[in-house]
Amino acid sequence: METNGHTISLDIVDTPGLATKIDFHDFMEQGMSDVESKKRSKEATEGVIEAVKWLDDLDGVILVMDSTENPYTQVNVTVIGNMEARNLPLLIVANKVDLPDADPGVIKEAFPQHPMVPVSALEGWEWTHSTKLWPNSSGDPNAGNPT
């Protein structure tokens, strides 16, 4: 992407299963046999391992969180823990802020060590200097701001 004389290259990596709990009993509850459930669990576990390997090739992360949901889920805590363990720069994007039950402040309170920006795909809010960026807990108001 190029804008205002600046260029940035992004690789998008979607790791939806990164922190998924895998239990073959859950597959059995869906009507699968014992053998099929264990096979599917093994495949799912291999997928999680592959997702974790992708983290080694990242330079930074933009993590999108639903601002209508509890930010203290095992998935969020695990994903952020993996990013922090690798010392990857992390920007949290609080999505769905246009919804009545949205509370991006709860996300900021949950992870104050990372900058966070609230966005609305519905409203089409753009990433501009007028977009309110909530800095990390260092207090630096420019932490994470795009340049």
Side-chain angles (χ1 to χ4, degrees):
M1 292 186 294
E2 187 171 333
T3 183
N4 298 328
H6 299 281
T7 303
I8 187 169
S9 175
L10 298 175
D11 291 321
I12 307 295
V13 179
D14 186 3
T15 58
L18 184 63
T20 301
K21 173 188 162 219
I22 301 168
D23 184 345
F24 79 95
H25 292 103
D26 294 335
F27 290 105
M28 289 180 72
E29 288 175 8
Q30 300 300 315
M32 292 184 190
S33 70
D34 184 73
V35 172
E36 181 66 16
S37 294
K38 288 178 180 176
K39 178 182 173 198
R40 292 290 300 274
S41 294
K42 180 180 177 186
E43 291 169 352
T45 301
E46 290 169 353
V48 170
I49 292 167
E50 189 65 29
V52 170
K53 288 179 184 178
W54 272 99
L55 298 178
D56 293 336
D57 296 327
L58 301 179
D59 296 321
V61 176
I62 299 172
L63 179 62
V64 179
M65 287 189 193
D66 185 336
S67 65
T68 66
E69 300 289 330
N70 176 2
Y72 294 103
T73 65
Q74 184 65 37
V75 171
N76 289 341
V77 171
T78 301
V79 168
I80 289 175
N82 272 285
M83 303 307 145
E84 290 174 346
R86 288 168 170 74
N87 293 316
L88 290 170
L90 174 64
L91 172 65
I92 298 173
V93 175
N95 193 16
K96 302 182 183 180
V97 298
D98 52 274
L99 298 178
D101 56 344
D103 190 355
V106 172
I107 294 173
K108 185 61 202 164
E109 290 170 10
F111 305 105
Q113 69 273 31
H114 300 290
M116 189 271 290
V117 61
V119 299
S120 166
L122 180 65
E123 299 293 327
W125 293 3
E126 295 179 6
W127 184 283
T128 67
H129 291 288
S130 64
T131 300
K132 181 180 177 184
L133 180 68
W134 298 23
N136 64 19
S137 61
S138 70
D140 178 1
N142 295 313
N145 274 324
T147 55

